[in-house]
Amino acid sequence: STTQISPVKTQVVSPTASPKVESTAKVVATPTPQASSNTSTPTKTNTTTSEHMINLKLSSGQVISISLEDYVFGVVSSEMPATFNTEALKAQAVAARTYALKKTATTATLSATTSDQVYKTDSQLKTMWGSSYTTYATKVRNAVDSTKGKCITYNGSYIDALYFFTCNGRTEDPI
């Protein structure tokens, strides 16, 4: 069975006007980047049949090539507690996949650190989760698999799927 994810409303905030809904972002099944469009209508893209591969620089400095879905599993396992609700894990999987696809559209190598998205190897996850490894790995893998190939685009381009876990009640402009 296929999991349906509803479109996400986006808001554009102007310093001189109150927020308004400009358009709707689409969650689409595609690891194929699309060219930007000047239209205000979101576009739906096709699913690719080949497995998308990610070049990833581990904290040891070693660069590996892994499948997008294995990468997303390692990121969701690292960026969010496996004890969180399954729907939250699914949302994190879509955000992590979208971030990776946008970043690698320019053939960039991702970093397994907070410079991009934290990624832990299977052996690191076994150490972190201990005797709960099988339970947590199954839960996260099911969440990732249920969203396989899904990412978020707006007007045919990947969104900036930026997120953070803790803000201590404040956020600030990174510039």
Side-chain angles (χ1 to χ4, degrees):
S1 73
T2 304
T3 302
Q4 292 287 2
I5 300 176
S6 301
V8 179
K9 293 285 186 184
T10 58
Q11 291 190 355
V12 176
V13 179
S14 164
T16 59
S18 60
K20 67 175 186 167
V21 174
E22 179 184 77
S23 189
T24 303
K26 293 276 188 180
V27 176
V28 297
T30 178
T32 307
Q34 301 294 312
S36 291
S37 167
N38 289 331
T39 66
S40 63
T41 305
T43 57
K44 191 170 185 177
T45 55
N46 296 326
T47 303
T48 179
T49 56
S50 63
E51 184 70 35
H52 190 89
M53 299 300 287
I54 297 291
N55 291 324
L56 178 65
K57 184 176 183 179
L58 300 175
S59 55
S60 66
Q62 177 187 13
V63 176
I64 62 171
S65 182
I66 62 172
S67 74
L68 174 63
E69 298 307 312
D70 286 341
Y71 172 75
V72 171
F73 169 77
V75 169
V76 173
S77 299
S78 304
E79 293 277 5
M80 177 176 273
T83 56
F84 276 23
N85 184 288
T86 301
E87 293 304 310
L89 295 170
K90 289 178 186 180
Q92 182 70 27
V94 174
R97 187 179 298 108
T98 302
Y99 178 94
L101 288 169
K102 181 169 184 160
K103 182 93 184 223
T104 60
T106 60
T107 66
T109 296
L110 294 173
S111 170
T113 68
T114 56
S115 294
D116 284 313
Q117 300 181 108
V118 175
Y119 169 89
K120 290 188 175 146
T121 64
D122 200 52
S123 62
Q124 290 172 315
L125 293 173
K126 285 179 181 176
T127 299
M128 181 173 81
W129 288 334
S131 63
S132 298
Y133 173 81
T134 302
T135 301
Y136 291 162
T138 300
K139 183 178 180 182
V140 173
R141 178 60 71 184
N142 287 341
V144 170
D145 288 349
S146 72
T147 64
K148 184 176 181 174
K150 289 189 171 52
C151 61
I152 306 170
T153 63
Y154 180 76
N155 287 339
S157 298
Y158 297 123
I159 67 161
D160 288 319
L162 306 174
Y163 55 88
F164 54 89
F165 182 75
T166 305
C167 70
N168 294 324
R170 293 185 167 170
T171 58
E172 75 180 79
D173 191 343
I175 298 176

